[in-house]
Amino acid sequence: RGSRLVAARLAVGNLGRALRRNSVTVAAMAVALSMLVSVSTMIASFRQTVELWIDQAIRADLYVSRTGRLVKGGDARLPADLLPLIRAVPGVMDADAFRALRLRDGQGAQFIVGAGDFDVMARRGRLPFRHGDSGRILRDARARDEVIVTETFAERYRLAEGDEVRLRPPGGEARFRIAGVYYDYTTEGGLVVMDHRLFQRLWPDPWLNSIVIYLAPGADAASVREAVRAATAREDLVIFSNQDLRRRVLDIFDQTFAITYALQAIALIVASLGVLTTLGASVLERTREIGILRSLGVNRAGIARTVLAEAGLLGLVANVVGALAGLALSLILILVINKQSFGWTIQFVFPGQLILEYAALTVGASVLAGLLPAWRASRLPIAEAVRYE
């Protein structure tokens, strides 16, 4: 135990005598770690926010669209006469359809106007509105010919609940009061949604983009899926279950951010090489000192422990600085940059487990980087080390 304390004291003293060089190494590791913490915190917060949004927004049991939607996105269309056919399928308690059109504002930027059955949405859905009850907002909007908008649309055009939005359907301009603003993470440009009856008055349109199905109690999803295919007699339909769609959304999310972890790992490897270089130079500079310590009775294991303790302390200091800087940067990314760039509200999630994992990773990487300098220091011959200048 005494030898370990001696090694720790020697390590602290050695680091203190070379503050300038060590500060560069600590800064490099801290920058790499702050990148890890900030981006990982943002991703974890975003993912948990999306999971909460999925729980509220994805409520139906089955989702129907054309196969081409996987390629064309929202531009893939279905004929409107499929909706009554699906509603008549045994086991289907309710069904709703969504239609979306891309429009341009006065500056040429795009946004989407969508339509659904507000009555079904009020009874079956639970849209995450910023203020107010989902069912009441949708029923009032349907009765008063009002619209609801996504948070991204409201932020983009600086609108709020009660304000008016101007649309340009064929035949002229129309103004609609905003009944509610809800959170949505599917579009960047924003979305204006109205009841399908109002939509049909403004844009007479025989097409749909997707259909959602709510099953009757006790109905089997697989059986209803096959019945829908048989009733519609279409081979180009893709039908997702609720769990399939949730899994697909989260898989896409994880795939989108997978590359960031590889880039962060590269940054940490480069920083670890800095520890290796710093300790190697430190051992070279202290060759005579190491020889004197050996001649005073410090064995090879003690010398190795001293160098490894220096490496661990470098990693520990870098971890504290990097974690604090990363948390501060993550708050800026979540609350400022993300809000300004996309208009999305993300709930901050404190990454306690991630910070502990990265602390172990940082200190571990530092100690690993110190193995070679520690081995070289412990193998120095005493006589040659004492004569070294």
Side-chain angles (χ1 to χ4, degrees):
R1 181 178 178 182
S3 62
R4 293 178 181 177
L5 290 176
V6 170
R9 288 179 179 179
L10 288 173
V12 172
N14 291 333
L15 291 178
R17 287 198 300 271
L19 283 177
R20 181 175 298 179
R21 181 178 60 225
N22 292 329
S23 63
V24 174
T25 302
V26 168
M29 291 200 73
V31 168
L33 183 63
S34 66
M35 288 174 54
L36 279 168
V37 171
S38 62
V39 176
S40 298
T41 301
M42 184 193 70
I43 294 173
S45 299
F46 196 6
R47 196 181 198 279
Q48 181 161 322
T49 301
V50 169
E51 287 179 355
L52 293 174
W53 170 76
I54 288 174
D55 289 338
Q56 292 182 292
I58 300 181
R59 307 282 292 176
D61 298 294
L62 296 174
Y63 294 80
V64 183
S65 63
R66 282 189 63 185
T67 307
R69 185 180 178 86
L70 301 178
V71 178
K72 298 181 179 179
D75 295 328
R77 299 184 299 180
L78 294 168
D81 58 11
L82 285 184
L83 185 58
L85 292 177
I86 290 176
R87 282 176 171 164
V89 171
V92 174
M93 177 170 282
D94 233 333
D96 186 19
F98 186 78
R99 176 63 173 136
L101 292 177
R102 296 182 183 274
L103 300 183
R104 292 188 180 276
D105 59 21
Q107 288 73 44
Q110 283 192 344
F111 64 95
I112 296 176
V113 171
D117 190 328
F118 278 10
D119 182 47
V120 175
M121 293 168 65
R123 286 187 285 108
R124 297 287 184 177
R126 195 175 66 188
L127 284 179
F129 283 95
R130 293 195 307 195
H131 307 291
D133 175 71
S134 174
R136 182 185 59 79
I137 291 173
L138 290 167
R139 284 190 291 269
D140 290 347
R142 186 173 188 267
R144 301 169 185 170
D145 283 347
E146 296 175 345
V147 299
I148 59 175
V149 302
T150 61
E151 180 195 27
T152 49
F153 185 90
E155 293 290 333
R156 181 180 183 183
Y157 296 102
R158 301 183 184 279
L159 298 171
E161 296 84 347
D163 292 342
E164 287 189 339
V165 58
R166 292 187 295 178
L167 301 177
R168 293 182 175 83
E173 183 179 274
R175 294 172 177 263
F176 301 96
R177 181 181 179 277
I178 297 175
V181 178
Y182 69 98
Y183 299 109
D184 177 80
Y185 302 95
T186 60
T187 60
E188 292 185 19
L191 188 62
V192 180
V193 185
M194 60 184 66
D195 185 70
H196 73 98
R197 297 183 307 170
L198 177 59
F199 182 86
Q200 285 296 325
R201 293 205 304 266
L202 299 173
W203 286 275
D205 183 84
W207 299 103
L208 305 173
N209 292 105
S210 60
I211 298 172
V212 298
I213 299 172
Y214 299 91
L215 300 180
D220 179 66
S223 301
V224 173
R225 188 194 312 229
E226 295 307 315
V228 167
R229 292 189 184 278
T232 57
R234 293 182 66 100
E235 298 295 331
D236 60 344
L237 293 184
V238 57
I239 305 177
F240 290 107
S241 69
N242 184 289
Q243 292 301 319
D244 289 339
L245 187 58
R246 288 167 181 258
R247 193 180 305 111
R248 181 175 179 80
V249 170
L250 293 177
D251 285 346
I252 292 174
F253 182 94
D254 292 335
Q255 291 169 12
T256 301
F257 291 103
I259 188 63
T260 60
Y261 294 109
L263 296 175
Q264 294 162 20
I266 292 173
L268 190 61
I269 291 172
V270 172
S272 299
L273 293 177
V275 174
L276 175 64
T277 303
T278 298
L279 292 178
S282 177
V283 169
L284 186 62
E285 284 183 1
R286 303 201 318 269
T287 299
R288 183 180 178 84
E289 177 187 329
I290 292 171
I292 294 174
L293 289 173
R294 290 293 312 282
S295 66
L296 292 175
V298 179
N299 59 21
R300 290 180 176 180
I303 296 296
R305 278 197 298 268
T306 300
V307 177
L308 290 177
E310 290 181 44
L313 286 172
L314 285 174
L316 186 61
V317 174
N319 179 72
V320 173
V321 175
L324 293 176
L327 286 174
L329 183 56
S330 68
L331 289 172
I332 296 174
L333 288 173
I334 292 171
L335 301 179
V336 180
I337 296 177
N338 167 76
K339 192 72 173 178
Q340 293 295 325
S341 300
F342 303 105
W344 291 337
T345 293
I346 297 177
Q347 303 298 321
F348 175 78
V349 176
F350 181 75
Q353 182 177 349
L354 281 176
I355 289 178
L356 291 177
E357 291 176 356
Y358 289 151
L361 182 64
T362 305
V363 175
S366 298
V367 173
L368 285 176
L371 287 176
L372 180 59
W375 179 83
R376 290 183 60 187
S378 67
R379 305 301 295 182
L380 287 173
I382 296 177
E384 292 183 15
V386 172
R387 291 197 305 267
Y388 179 83
E389 294 186 11

